[in-house]
Amino acid sequence: MNADILVIGAQGAGMSAASRAKRKNKNLDVLVLEKGPYVSVGTCGLPYFIGDLVREAKKMEMHDVAFFREQREIPILTRHEVIGIDPGAKRVTALSLDEQKEKVFRYDKLIIGTGSTANRPGISGEDLSRVFVLKTLEDGIRIKSLIDQEQPKNAVIIGAGVIGLEMAEAFARRGLHVTLLKRPGSILRMLDDDMTRLVEEELHRQGVDVCLDVKIQKINGIDGRAVSVTCSGQDYPADLVLLATGASPSTGLARSAGLAMGPFGDIVVDEAMTTSDPNIFAAGDCVAQIHRVSQQAVYLPRGTTANKQGRVAGENAAGGCDRFTGVVGTSVAKIFDLHMASTGLNEKAAREAGFDTAAVQIAHPSHGQTYPNPPPEPITVRMVLEKRTGRLLGGQMIGKFGVGKRIDVLATAVTHGLTVNQIGDLDLSYSPPFAPLWDPILVAANAAAKVI
Ligand SMILES: Cc1cc2nc3c(=O)[nH]c(=O)nc-3n(C[C@H](O)[C@H](O)[C@H](O)COP(=O)(O)OP(=O)(O)OC[C@H]3O[C@@H](n4cnc5c(N)ncnc54)[C@H](O)[C@@H]3O)c2cc1C
């Protein structure tokens, strides 16, 4: 089979690339190969699927195979696992998992969107049943089915990044008692310590047992099923265990094909998303990014980035000349009643990148007191700035309302190198239901201006 553009992987990066290429030139034959059964999954919503805010698995697909075939003229072969790339012959071999048959596909341009794989930390007992990772919709279905069918009582989560914390809320919502275990190092590494304390307090308030800086020794099983986790000499009962210890690029294929690899096991790409082979592009969780503030390579796998990089790869594979110029690492998460967001560098990362930094932290109401329903709640804003120039290097926010979109003001400021004085001059909106007269961002910027 031949394709002008062959795409491997049918999630954010792959489907953005395929869609963009087809839009650029509708006469191109674009074909997508996907090893799993689902395409275009809203992976970021998996905690809400498991938490039962979304009932049916089918609703987790943003668009299905029929949509892409009929509306975008992009055929997708699901359950086709690519097992080899031959860049010299511009050929890919895939195994049809249903037919158990190998098939060969020729391409003019290839786009790799193979994403990432959930890390397994190598703890004794992690192969027991009822020990899960959460990366794909299939993982989500497995976890949800167990909760639906067996009503487990105790969940142990190993790892305290965004996914671990979102899942603490999802499990609690489903009535499980949650224990969160974290090896040395802070929770939510994107935050400075003064901010993580607010998150820890919220977890305690919500009844989550948080055990930080512990030594996770083993997962204990009976009859092949996990029953508890031993940690710093103590046993925590576990009817299910979630390993939430990050993800790594899925790049075995690219490595075997001889493409240049980066320090995170990522596929090396330039701003055009071209790999070391000019006919092969890569995008999404399988590649790293340049952090616009530190100008260093980072591995920050995000759905937003995967989609943008996919667009660039698709445009260029179809003959265009688009560029992806980097990230500032913006993220946002709901952790029970708190909203947490960050952008740019935290203080530790800024120092490590060689900046002479200062930080300010303020708390200010989310909206006007003349709009008391719901009553205003404090938003804590932390700004990390370059001492000499006052340039904003990063920002963090925690609060109950109005955090999610406010962080985007700081993301814009960090991206364009605004100083805290310039941020203090921004004409931000005011009306009591939305903001106090002095928005928390302005209050923080004015406080920061005093330390330059
Ligand atoms: C629980 C969870 C919550 C998240 N929440 C957020 C969030 O709130 N905000 C955010 O920005 N990001 C979030 N992310 C991250 C985001 O989901 C990823 O960055 C994004 O899905 C990456 O898309 P991708 O297409 O690069 O890779 P993936 O989603 O990993 O998709 C890669 C695809 O390639 C396929 N594939 C791999 N190898 C082969 C092969 N050999 N042959 C054929 N097919 C292959 C895989 O089956 C897979 O379907 C979350 C992730 C998880 C797991």
Side-chain angles (χ1 to χ4, degrees):
M1 262 187 267
N2 292 344
D4 296 317
I5 297 180
L6 188 63
V7 179
I8 310 175
Q11 307 305 334
M15 292 322 301
S16 292
S19 302
R20 187 64 176 190
K22 194 73 192 178
R23 213 171 303 134
K24 170 100 180 145
N25 182 350
K26 68 176 171 33
N27 297 319
L28 290 174
D29 278 331
V30 179
L31 174 66
V32 184
L33 302 176
E34 165 56 52
K35 73 175 173 186
Y38 300 104
V39 307
S40 193
V41 173
T43 311
C44 312
L46 287 176
Y48 311 110
F49 169 65
I50 295 168
D52 224 16
L53 292 169
V54 179
R55 289 269 151 88
E56 298 157 45
K58 194 70 197 147
K59 293 232 166 90
M60 297 302 293
E61 272 186 322
M62 302 291 100
H63 298 300
D64 61 10
V65 171
F67 170 88
F68 283 107
R69 188 182 56 239
E70 287 155 21
Q71 305 290 319
R72 299 204 178 155
E73 295 178 46
I74 300 171
I76 306 173
L77 297 179
T78 54
R79 296 191 45 78
H80 277 66
E81 179 173 7
V82 175
I83 52 174
I85 302 171
D86 179 347
K90 295 174 91 175
R91 209 168 56 187
V92 151
T93 306
L95 176 67
S96 159
L97 299 173
D98 293 328
E99 301 159 89
Q100 280 301 307
K101 195 169 108 190
E102 286 188 13
K103 300 180 186 172
V104 173
F105 299 85
R106 285 172 206 287
Y107 62 81
D108 184 36
K109 303 286 178 205
L110 178 68
I111 301 175
I112 303 178
T114 47
S116 58
T117 314
N119 293 337
R120 290 186 165 263
I123 301 165
S124 159
E126 68 184 27
D127 293 331
L128 290 164
S129 75
R130 298 184 173 206
V131 178
F132 299 94
V133 294
L134 180 60
K135 166 66 197 158
T136 63
L137 180 52
E138 295 96 298
D139 296 329
I141 292 170
R142 275 191 284 273
I143 298 171
K144 189 171 185 172
S145 304
L146 177 78
I147 298 175
D148 288 345
Q149 287 159 21
E150 302 190 27
Q151 286 95 41
K153 294 197 166 37
N154 294 296
V156 169
I157 300 175
I158 297 176
V162 167
I163 294 175
L165 297 188
E166 286 179 344
M167 284 307 299
E169 180 183 348
F171 287 144
R173 217 185 130 75
R174 299 299 308 270
L176 281 89
H177 174 262
V178 182
T179 305
L180 194 79
L181 305 178
K182 170 81 184 82
R183 294 195 281 206
S186 58
I187 66 170
L188 294 170
R189 274 180 306 154
M190 67 279 270
L191 300 181
D192 289 321
D193 289 348
D194 286 349
M195 298 294 275
T196 57
R197 269 192 277 284
L198 301 174
V199 179
E200 284 168 38
E201 282 164 21
E202 173 69 3
L203 292 169
H204 289 304
R205 216 175 8 251
Q206 299 287 349
V208 176
D209 283 339
V210 184
C211 308
L212 300 178
D213 292 332
V214 288
K215 185 167 187 303
I216 298 159
Q217 289 158 298
K218 59 177 174 162
I219 304 171
N220 308 295
I222 296 178
D223 297 334
R225 280 168 29 173
V227 292
S228 65
V229 180
T230 307
C231 178
S232 296
Q234 200 177 329
D235 275 358
Y236 295 88
D239 302 312
L240 76 85
V241 177
L242 178 71
L243 305 173
T245 49
S248 302
S250 258
T251 50
L253 270 179
R255 188 185 293 276
S256 305
L259 298 182
M261 305 300 292
F264 309 97
D266 52 298
I267 305 170
V268 172
V269 288
D270 60 15
E271 286 191 345
M273 307 313 296
T274 316
T275 66
S276 53
D277 180 321
N279 295 309
I280 304 181
F281 298 79
D285 283 11
C286 59
V287 307
Q289 313 84 29
I290 293 296
H291 199 293
R292 286 178 190 240
V293 180
S294 66
Q295 289 301 314
Q296 289 164 359
V298 287
Y299 183 63
L300 297 171
R302 303 264 195 282
T304 46
T305 305
N307 279 271
K308 287 186 197 125
Q309 290 180 330
R311 252 168 80 118
V312 172
E315 170 79 16
N316 294 343
C321 57
D322 205 355
R323 292 280 178 271
F324 180 78
T325 49
V327 299
V328 292
T330 309
S331 61
V332 62
K334 176 177 179 303
I335 299 157
F336 292 93
D337 293 339
L338 277 191
H339 298 178
M340 171 297 293
S342 74
T343 188
L345 301 178
N346 66 16
E347 213 176 350
K348 181 164 172 275
R351 289 213 179 109
E352 281 170 4
F355 290 103
D356 183 16
T357 63
V360 292
Q361 187 167 319
I362 61 98
H364 200 67
S366 53
H367 54 272
Q369 64 185 32
T370 51
Y371 190 83
N373 193 12
E377 292 279 349
I379 295 181
T380 304
V381 182
R382 186 174 178 87
M383 286 185 172
V384 177
L385 53 142
E386 187 180 33
K387 227 187 236 172
R388 186 176 54 81
T389 60
R391 172 186 163 201
L392 186 73
L393 302 173
Q396 300 154 45
M397 280 187 206
I398 291 182
K400 287 192 174 170
F401 314 115
V403 162
K405 284 299 137 190
R406 268 192 183 94
I407 198 70
D408 292 341
V409 175
L410 297 191
T412 310
V414 170
T415 302
H416 294 287
L418 295 194
T419 65
V420 288
N421 282 319
Q422 288 170 320
I423 297 167
D425 281 344
L426 290 175
D427 182 12
L428 300 185
S429 61
Y430 161 63
S431 171
F434 303 100
L437 189 89
W438 286 91
D439 192 275
I441 289 176
L442 300 178
V443 175
N446 290 340
K450 292 184 190 142
V451 305
I452 302 172

